[in-house]
Amino acid sequence: MPSPFPWRRALLSVAAIAMAAFASTASAEPVTLAEALARAGKSSPTLAAARADVAAAEGRAVQAGLRPNPELGLEVENFAGTGPFSGLGEAENTVTVGQRFELGGKRSARQRAAQAEVDVARLRLQVAGAELLQQVRNAYAEAYADARRLDLAREQFLRAENLQKVAVELVDAGREPPLRAMRARTATFEAVGRVRAAEAKYLQSQRALAALWGGADDLPEPTGAADEALPEGIADPTTTLDVRLAEAEVTVSIAVVGRERLLAQPDVTVTVGARQFRGTDDTALVVGASMPIGVFDRNQGNVAAANAERVGAEARRNAALAGAIRGTRDAQAALRTAESRLNFLRTRAEPEAVEAVRIAREGFSAGRFTLLDVLDAEEALNTVQSDIITAEQERGQAAAALIRATQTLGSNQ
């Protein structure tokens, strides 16, 4: 004989699925925002690459200060010819030492350009660190929001399960048709699906956060909101990292122009040696000097290229200055908007949605409202609570953008 209550068997399957969903969360390691920032600063592959670039620039600076090496020369004359010169008996040997002397301050100009490139590499390291920390703050805010969304999805399931029990009791009492219990069961299934989707999204954001410090197998669990002390007022845009880097690149371009112009001047190579006359075994001093004649190659192409790069660097500096001003103002506006929205949702929207759910549930239990009324109220509450989490995430990311936009040289943020 078929059971008069087919939805009761369905309840067991819903409970089993829910328990599986609740148990599927992998173990994670608690981590605060400060710890996440410290890990990234210590072991990030991005910063390791930037540090290597600094070391390479320092090596080139050392090389730029070295003088040209002397050259040892050997000349053998008057051999392998005819008559008395057919052998080596009349051969004359000349041994020379030559040294090229750089004129016009080429070495100093080369050193200035190389040192300017070192300064740029060091600033790029700081910029890379600032961008990395912003990425960590954004990823941390997203992971924390996804953890909150997972908790919210589980709360929604518990509310849906409770509502399903109330619906079954009303059906058993003959106050609701059996279809109401089936609809409540469907809502519970939907809640289980939200739990599983939230778990998958949270796992993804955990891995994205860990990847910033090279932790391929780490599953960090954010333990608190990304609340930090924010910079007050509008920082001087000329002191921000991006503008300082752009100015340093202008300095490099100017130094390169000077270096390339000096390369157009010829160098002098002086040689000193001794010649041995085989016939008399006498020796004599040999002195020589040479220098190129600047007829065709006067390094004009490299000079033109360096001038064009200087113009481009100056344009990028102006763009960086405008971008620093705009970035700071945009981040401040985004932060104010997120805080205003969050305050409204917490103080107005959420309390009203909670009260609406309470009234709907009580009315449903008393037979004054339908199940659909309760589901509508629950959906409105779910939307408000989800919006609160999103607003918190947006506030954290706006704060990260503001910290990044106002970061100055030597700042630890």
Side-chain angles (χ1 to χ4, degrees), residues 107-396:
R107 178 167 168 264
S108 298
R110 191 168 59 244
Q111 287 178 303
R112 286 193 296 271
Q115 185 57 50
E117 290 174 350
V118 171
D119 295 340
V120 165
R122 290 171 178 168
L123 278 169
R124 285 176 179 163
L125 173 60
Q126 288 211 31
V127 170
E131 291 178 348
L132 174 66
L133 295 186
Q134 182 182 7
Q135 292 174 1
V136 172
R137 290 182 173 99
N138 288 337
Y140 186 93
E142 182 174 359
Y144 181 71
D146 287 339
R148 293 280 310 279
R149 291 186 180 101
L150 177 57
D151 292 339
L152 177 60
R154 288 172 173 170
E155 292 175 6
Q156 292 171 357
F157 166 78
L158 295 177
R159 292 201 300 264
E161 186 183 40
N162 177 265
L163 183 61
Q164 180 181 246
K165 292 177 181 179
V166 174
V168 170
E169 292 174 358
L170 293 178
V171 171
D172 288 345
R175 295 168 54 186
E176 289 285 345
L179 184 61
R180 298 300 190 211
M182 300 301 292
R183 180 63 185 87
R185 171 176 172 261
T186 300
T188 306
F189 271 128
E190 293 172 350
V192 172
R194 286 193 291 269
V195 170
R196 293 197 166 173
E199 284 179 343
K201 182 63 173 63
Y202 180 41
L203 184 62
Q204 180 182 5
S205 62
Q206 286 178 295
R207 289 172 175 164
L209 175 60
L212 293 173
W213 58 73
D217 299 325
D218 294 352
L219 288 179
E221 179 182 355
T223 58
D227 293 330
E228 292 184 279
L230 299 178
E232 298 180 359
I234 299 179
D236 182 1
T238 61
T239 64
T240 59
L241 278 179
D242 292 330
V243 175
R244 292 294 298 272
L245 174 59
E247 290 177 346
E249 289 175 342
V250 171
T251 301
V252 168
S253 68
I254 294 174
V256 169
V257 169
R259 182 192 67 193
E260 296 301 328
R261 284 178 175 171
L262 288 176
L263 287 177
Q265 300 182 18
D267 296 331
V268 174
T269 300
V270 178
T271 59
V272 177
R275 174 174 294 179
Q276 180 187 33
F277 297 92
R278 182 61 59 90
T280 61
D281 287 334
D282 292 331
T283 59
L285 186 66
V286 177
V287 177
S290 65
M291 63 182 300
I293 302 174
V295 176
F296 305 109
D297 182 4
R298 298 186 301 278
N299 206 39
Q300 58 267 40
N302 288 334
V303 171
N307 277 317
E309 290 174 353
R310 177 183 57 80
V311 173
E314 291 174 348
R316 287 190 293 272
R317 177 192 58 192
N318 297 336
L321 181 59
I325 297 173
R326 184 182 66 252
T328 300
R329 292 175 178 174
D330 289 349
Q332 289 178 323
L335 183 60
R336 287 194 298 267
T337 300
E339 289 179 340
S340 176
R341 181 187 179 204
L342 183 59
N343 181 66
F344 171 78
L345 290 171
R346 283 177 172 174
T347 61
R348 296 284 302 276
E350 186 180 27
E352 292 184 4
V354 170
E355 180 65 13
V357 169
R358 184 190 67 80
I359 294 173
R361 280 180 172 272
E362 291 179 356
F364 177 62
S365 300
R368 295 193 302 271
F369 297 124
T370 67
L371 177 64
L372 294 179
D373 294 328
V374 180
L375 293 176
D376 287 342
E378 291 277 1
E379 182 63 25
L381 177 59
N382 294 343
T383 299
V384 170
Q385 291 177 332
S386 179
D387 288 345
I388 289 176
I389 296 174
T390 300
E392 290 176 344
Q393 179 182 350
E394 291 174 349
R395 181 185 62 179

